Amino acid sequence: MNVLIVGSGGREHTFTWKLKQSAKVDKLFVAPGNAGTAAIAENVAIGVSDFEKLGEFALKNDIDMIVVGPEVPLVEGIVDYFKADEKLSSIKLIGPDAQGAALEGSKDFSKNFMEKYSIPTGKAGTFTKETLAEGLAYLETEKAPYVLKADGLAAGKGVIITESLDEAKATLKEMLDGKFGEASKSVLVEEYLSGIELSVFVLTDGSDYVIFPEAKDYKRIGEGDTGLNTGGMGAVSPVPFANKEFLSKVEEKVVKPTIAGLKEEQIDYKGFIFIGLMNVEGEPYVIEYNVRMGDPETEVVLPLIKTDLMDLLEATANGTLSSQTLEIEDKSATTVMLVSGGYPGSYPKGKVMTGFDDTEDVILFHAGTSQNEAGEVVTSGGRVLSITAYGSDKDDALAKAYKAAEKIQFEGKYYRKDIGFDL
Ligand code: AMP
Ligand code: GLY
């Protein structure tokens, strides 16, 4: 099979690395990819939202399957675009159509979905400019901390949590006044959930599902979970506190009703569901759905899967996932993200990277990297390189990742030295 992976981050490099191991895969392309994917597959200079060019490329190169990495093209309807075109409709896409992608694209839609199917989640109200007065009154009836969420996609920045009622009111106004553009035309005021977070990843063909190893990511830039939010600074899988009893609650109370709800809504969902959860005194509550894999969670989850990923993806596309069993490594995997100095604010690009050959016992997944004219690998993004290691437990794996993190050099390199500190 010829496969096209859409995206350019560490997640997409990991998909490329994993699919490269499948005897079923002939040619692997990544659009647009990075320096890491260029080394093991062929990069194609097409943006993730350029459906027309992606379609033309797929036809010309006999692509059989497209794996969509990020949420934006899914929410924009890449699956619908391919389905609607006679020449493209036989290509298998991994990812939901726009209706299914609304689980991530609209927090109001996903909240209503969870309420309708009795999936445990924080109680919430949704407000617009027209109902601002009701929103302010609603805030008065809530307890601190106050959680405000932009309804639409806001690149991971659309959630504001504050202890102060006055600040919450001011923030609600600002958001409805366009703080996050279109994304905050509607805003959810949500009950605060107190606990420890983790994520569970489900691959579904719309009726059946497999559950991948759970993971915990570290979103804040600073050690001890302080400072600004980032795309993710590191991850650990499995998560020690997610014992059998907790995971079985997740399956019964969250995964099963989610798949049943999608079916009931006649949403043809073939792809990943990333369920962001809060463990509140041993009970799982859904914080959010994402309609893709996580980044950097993918960099620890896929390396733990022994099963041929193409078998799983084909079964997903064909609706035969019930015939598949998932084999998982009996190890721990951790990843540490090297980022550009200044990230998540502004940062320089084009810094030459060295030391790749000095690392051992790790897998280097490129995120924001490219090649310059001299053929050197240079930084090209905020999150630059995800260093994954296996170990008998998380500490063993982290020690290897940190050793390699010291070896890779580029001007301004920063990484958190406390991944997994709270586990
Ligand atoms: P989200 O973009 O929905 O993942 O939210 C970003 C982060 O805000 C989450 O990872 C949580 O740490 C936090 N968060 C979101 N919703 C809640 C909530 N209801 N209670 C507590 N923390 C929350
Ligand atoms: N690491 C969080 C995400 O992929 O959304």
Side-chain angles (χ1 to χ4, degrees):
M1 292 178 80
N2 295 332
V3 182
L4 172 63
I5 294 168
V6 173
S8 63
R11 168 180 51 210
E12 288 75 21
H13 187 185
T14 313
F15 269 103
T16 311
W17 169 85
K18 182 71 183 156
L19 287 174
K20 179 100 182 159
Q21 296 164 27
S22 172
K24 287 189 171 171
V25 176
D26 300 311
K27 283 194 188 151
L28 257 178
F29 300 94
V30 190
N34 58 37
T37 59
I40 57 172
E42 195 176 315
N43 282 357
V44 184
I46 303 176
V48 302
S49 296
D50 194 342
F51 302 162
E52 213 178 298
K53 287 230 174 76
L54 289 170
E56 284 165 14
F57 178 86
L59 280 182
K60 221 170 146 183
N61 292 276
D62 292 321
I63 297 296
D64 301 291
M65 179 183 282
I66 300 182
V67 181
V68 185
E71 65 278 15
V72 169
L74 293 168
V75 171
E76 289 173 349
I78 187 168
V79 171
D80 312 70
Y81 179 89
F82 274 72
K83 261 191 202 161
D85 187 320
E86 221 173 276
K87 294 197 294 289
L88 300 174
S89 60
S90 64
I91 300 173
K92 302 174 195 315
L93 267 84
I94 301 299
D97 63 12
Q99 202 193 354
L103 277 185
E104 177 166 0
S106 166
K107 291 195 190 282
D108 183 46
F109 174 85
S110 67
K111 188 62 75 179
N112 289 328
F113 177 88
M114 288 185 261
E115 283 168 359
K116 183 165 175 189
Y117 294 101
S118 305
I119 295 162
T121 185
K123 161 177 94 54
T126 302
F127 305 96
T128 61
K129 237 179 160 161
E130 288 67 44
T131 58
L132 172 64
E134 287 166 45
L136 297 174
Y138 185 90
L139 275 170
E140 302 232 354
T141 65
E142 291 293 289
K143 291 195 302 273
Y146 304 93
V147 181
L148 302 171
K149 295 189 173 184
D151 174 52
L153 291 185
K157 298 190 175 73
V159 177
I160 292 177
I161 300 178
T162 171
E163 286 287 338
S164 142
L165 178 59
D166 286 342
E167 201 179 311
K169 287 181 173 176
T171 306
L172 178 61
K173 279 190 208 135
E174 276 170 35
M175 287 173 84
L176 293 174
D177 275 337
K179 186 178 168 78
F180 299 107
E182 281 289 304
S184 64
K185 274 180 83 176
S186 282
V187 173
L188 279 76
V189 178
E190 191 173 285
E191 174 191 358
Y192 181 82
L193 299 168
S194 180
I196 182 158
E197 281 182 72
L198 78 161
S199 301
V200 167
F201 305 91
V202 177
L203 179 64
T204 181
D205 61 8
S207 312
D208 292 291
Y209 61 87
V210 290
I211 302 180
F212 282 15
E214 75 287 351
K216 185 170 195 316
D217 81 334
Y218 292 80
K219 289 202 178 88
R220 305 291 198 93
I221 188 71
E223 281 162 20
D225 285 340
T226 54
L228 293 173
N229 252 327
T230 71
M233 298 294 293
V236 173
S237 179
V239 178
F241 70 78
N243 56 23
K244 260 205 171 122
E245 189 195 347
F246 181 77
L247 291 174
S248 109
K249 281 184 190 167
V250 172
E251 181 165 8
E252 295 304 319
K253 297 184 178 182
V254 179
V255 177
K256 284 185 180 170
T258 297
I259 306 292
L262 289 170
K263 238 180 146 170
E264 183 70 28
E265 299 293 317
Q266 294 184 319
I267 295 175
D268 179 23
Y269 201 115
K270 294 185 179 349
F272 292 97
I273 310 175
F274 157 169
I275 307 172
L277 294 166
M278 191 72 86
N279 176 343
V280 183
E281 292 167 7
E283 289 298 319
Y285 283 78
V286 178
I287 296 183
E288 61 167 352
Y289 288 112
N290 295 306
V291 297
R292 51 175 173 87
M293 282 296 290
D295 194 349
E297 292 91 334
T298 304
E299 290 92 303
V300 291
V301 172
L302 291 189
L304 288 176
I305 291 173
K306 281 201 232 172
T307 316
D308 184 331
L309 183 61
M310 186 42 80
D311 285 343
L312 296 170
L313 297 182
E314 257 196 307
T316 299
N318 296 337
T320 56
L321 207 49
S322 62
S323 66
Q324 294 290 315
T325 45
L326 193 62
E327 268 195 87
I328 293 167
E329 301 275 3
D330 184 22
K331 295 186 216 176
S332 184
T334 61
T335 201
V336 173
M337 189 68 78
L338 306 187
V339 306
S340 299
Y343 174 79
S346 61
Y347 52 83
K349 293 183 185 178
K351 300 295 176 195
V352 175
M353 299 176 67
T354 58
F356 295 100
D357 294 336
D358 302 331
T359 62
E360 52 184 9
D361 231 7
V362 290
I363 317 169
L364 303 177
F365 293 121
H366 289 231
T369 69
S370 60
Q371 262 177 325
N372 65 14
E373 277 167 15
E376 295 164 314
V377 177
V378 295
T379 65
S380 66
R383 293 194 296 167
V384 173
L385 189 75
S386 188
I387 304 180
T388 293
Y390 293 109
S392 51
D393 59 22
K394 73 166 172 50
D395 295 319
D396 182 30
L398 280 165
K400 293 177 195 166
Y402 280 127
K403 204 167 154 200
E406 285 173 25
K407 298 273 165 67
I408 303 281
Q409 300 298 342
F410 58 91
E411 199 186 310
K413 176 184 78 174
Y414 169 78
Y415 57 98
R416 269 181 66 169
K417 299 190 177 63
D418 69 340
I419 299 305
F421 77 98
D422 54 344
L423 295 174

